[in-house]
Amino acid sequence: MTHAMTGTLITFEGIDGSGKTTQARDVLDVLMQRGYPVTLSREPGATPLGGVVRNLLLSEDLTIGSMAELFLFLADRSEHVEQVLRPRLSTGQIVLVDRFTDATTAYQGYGMKHPLETLESLHRMILGKIVPAKTYLLDISPEKALERVRSRAEKKTRIEERGLAFFSRVREGYLEIARKNPQRICILDATLPREEISRRILKDLANILPHPS
Ligand SMILES: Nc1ncnc2c1ncn2[C@@H]1O[C@H](COP(=O)(O)OP(=O)(O)OP(=O)(O)O)[C@@H](O)[C@H]1O
Ligand SMILES: [Mg+2]
């Protein structure tokens, strides 16, 4: 038996505007202050290919079909796993990731209706033995999330582009994934104050993180 994966992968999930980036950064800051070997990464766009893929996905001049979109996300993830996550985890780091596999299951599976079993097999191919130790799901209604991102965005938000019905399916999808993985996924009320959410995440993380050396 090998002990190659000594690090800890922690993921942040939730619909657009739920507060993933805010929480991932707040938790990163605290863990760094406490002396943990911790880094933050995100999807899509954490590798050279990922950067190109991110620009394609966000491009306004391109129409991308839902199948092509799925494979672009997976191409990004595959590079992210091989070039960023596997090396960092094998040296014992804690890696926080802003969106990961559950986002694909929620958006492309529950939202766009690609078959869930297919997504699972593709993820097995891409991930091998890499699995998040813990996932924080920031749960919020699409209506409230839209209010938040509207004040941030100058142009039409993704919620407005794809519609509230789509985001309701994605939210319900995330909750269903959490019901199927109760050990791994911790559901948090994303409408709580920012500090309260981080406090809960850090309290939960204390159960799985070793003391910093
Ligand atoms: N707990 C909170 N209460 C109120 N507002 C919040 C809270 N957390 C984050 N926000 C605000 O909501 C907006 C969205 O937050 P953030 O960018 O962290 O979400 P996100 O999930 O990363 O969104 P995206 O999926 O678009 O990247 C920001 O303006 C942020 O300041
Ligand atoms: Mg974000």
Side-chain angles (χ1 to χ4, degrees):
M1 179 162 169
T2 58
H3 295 272
M5 290 299 155
T6 51
T8 310
L9 177 62
I10 309 288
T11 62
F12 293 81
E13 297 280 4
I15 63 171
D16 295 47
S18 57
K20 300 175 292 297
T21 303
T22 304
Q23 288 304 322
R25 288 184 181 155
D26 287 355
V27 169
L28 174 76
D29 287 346
V30 173
L31 293 180
M32 278 173 66
Q33 280 165 22
R34 294 184 187 168
Y36 283 101
V38 59
T39 54
L40 171 61
S41 191
R42 70 161 181 186
E43 291 198 356
T47 63
L49 176 72
V52 177
V53 168
R54 186 182 179 89
N55 289 337
L56 290 174
L57 286 165
L58 299 178
S59 163
E60 285 176 12
D61 315 323
L62 271 180
T63 11
I64 300 176
S66 79
M67 191 71 81
E69 182 189 62
L70 167 65
F71 284 104
L72 285 171
F73 277 116
L74 295 177
D76 169 75
R77 176 155 310 131
S78 174
E79 291 292 281
H80 188 214
V81 167
E82 294 313 320
Q83 295 183 15
V84 179
L85 301 184
R86 208 181 291 286
R88 290 188 192 173
L89 292 169
S90 67
T91 57
Q93 289 190 38
I94 300 163
V95 189
L96 311 180
V97 181
D98 189 345
R99 282 196 188 285
F100 198 51
T101 47
D102 299 325
T104 304
T105 309
Y107 282 74
Q108 275 67 48
Y110 289 93
M112 300 305 291
K113 310 201 172 156
H114 288 294
L116 299 180
E117 317 79 67
T118 310
L119 299 182
E120 249 175 61
S121 330
L122 290 166
H123 277 143
R124 267 196 302 276
M125 281 176 67
I126 294 172
L127 297 184
K129 290 191 175 133
I130 292 179
V131 223
K134 205 81 201 194
T135 296
Y136 295 101
L137 171 57
L138 294 155
D139 181 54
I140 188 169
S141 73
E143 290 82 2
K144 280 192 187 145
L146 175 59
E147 268 173 42
R148 286 185 183 176
V149 292
R150 200 182 259 148
S151 56
R152 178 183 70 180
E154 49 299 328
K155 54 183 180 58
K156 218 173 172 199
T157 65
R158 253 168 39 116
I159 301 182
E160 288 162 303
E161 266 168 26
R162 299 216 171 177
L164 288 172
F166 173 81
F167 278 92
S168 295
R169 286 205 300 281
V170 175
R171 180 197 193 186
E172 291 308 317
Y174 266 129
L175 291 170
E176 183 67 27
I177 300 167
R179 277 190 284 273
K180 290 183 188 167
N181 298 275
Q183 305 283 4
R184 170 171 69 87
I185 303 181
C186 173
I187 305 171
L188 296 150
D189 176 355
T191 65
L192 290 170
R194 174 177 174 171
E195 299 73 26
E196 176 58 23
I197 299 172
S198 329
R199 200 187 61 76
R200 291 184 187 192
I201 294 174
L202 287 159
K203 188 170 174 231
D204 183 76
L205 273 178
N207 298 318
I208 62 163
L209 295 183
H211 286 291
S213 42

